[in-house]
Amino acid sequence: MGDRERNKKRLLELLRAPDTGNAHCADCGAAAPRRAPRCAPRALFSVPSESRHFHIAPPQTLSPGPELPPGSSPRSPRSGRWANQKIPTGPLTSWGSSSVSTAAASTVTSLTSAELNPCDLTSGTTVLWRVLKEQWIRAKYERREFMAGGETISLPGNREGFLWKRGRDNSQFLRRRFVLLAREGLLKYFTKEQGKSPKAVISIKDLNATFQTEKIGHPHGLQITYRRDGHTRNLFVYHESGKEIVDWFNALRAARLQYLKMAFPELPESELVPFLTRNYLKQGFMEKTGPKQKEPFKKRWFALDCHERRLLYYKNPLDAFEQGQVFLGNKEQGYEVYEDLPKGIRGNRWKAGLTIVTPERRFVLTCPNEKEQQEWLESLRGVLSSPLTPLNRLSKKQELRGVLLAKGRGQKAASTESGHSSR
């Protein structure tokens, strides 16, 4: 029997051996994994998980196998050519998905594990979990962060470092120093590396962070949003290191959890977790008319935040502030969404319309095609049919308070200007 057939037989024994965990993927737990890393046939992966291994260095640390260049893809233990690989020897139970997962989980805290292993989470957050899954795999197999003798895990708490931030009024990304003070619940950033006066001081209580790689144009692009004077301020940042940007993301989530536990001590942690950070339920271009429905339709970028129940719209996807927003209550409060346009109203270029009705006014929108129209209708109806939570009510109160404060400042400024002009 040649080396190739002997190796194949050994791998098939490993695949079928009891108590190895090889009936499930070592990364996401999916049944019937079909691939193993070329340099480490010790853990088996499902097709969704294997795709993350194609573009990263192979897991050298888990096997005595030979080193291969970065980008070496996993292969099938049934049909792959393993003639030049060092196949595992010794007890079969010491080689398998269970042993890998046990070793990797031995030093993982519950918070870090939840953040780094996205396979157990919802499928509607594709971009977010693509970034996190890659860092989860790198942490397990390259950096061995969860194993004795591996690299140190970055624990949540205060954090300081540099991120590339997009300018508010231009498209240039500049290096900025960011400081997270978890106990104080504040995130600051500075325009000067050693500056003492921050450009902005952001409260954790209304901060959000979401990976927006395509919109920002970088594989590690992160969008940070917060409330300011009744408006939503967007910061677009990235870092060259995927680990660094994921560590920042996890640190912000941990600070948010600390704040929410203090603000809502009566709520269980399971109800707070969805509000740590969130992705937009849907984003894309639509055209809208004005409050009289006689104004021309204008193209705007829309983002639906289902947790805060807000539909925000911008002139451009990377604008620092929204042009407007619609709070979405529920049907019992008089909020509705209808397919098509009101009678007598015609769109500009796009004809697939929808109408959002609120107690204050109606918003008339058109979509580029019927597919987009149906996706928007489904998303909006899902928000309107869900009950308001205590956090939704708090968000609405904070918005009203911010608007009143902004109006107060505006009236004061107008009074000051009037006084100057009369002199």
Side-chain angles (χ1 to χ4, degrees), residues 193-204:
E193 292 192 4
Q194 302 301 324
K196 296 183 179 180
S197 299
K199 177 68 174 179
V201 179
I202 304 165
S203 173
I204 289 294

Side-chain angles (χ1 to χ4, degrees), residues 5-16:
E5 290 301 318
R6 187 181 300 108
N7 292 340
K8 181 177 179 179
K9 180 180 178 181
R10 180 65 174 170
L11 283 173
L12 290 177
E13 290 176 357
L14 174 63
L15 185 64
R16 293 189 292 262

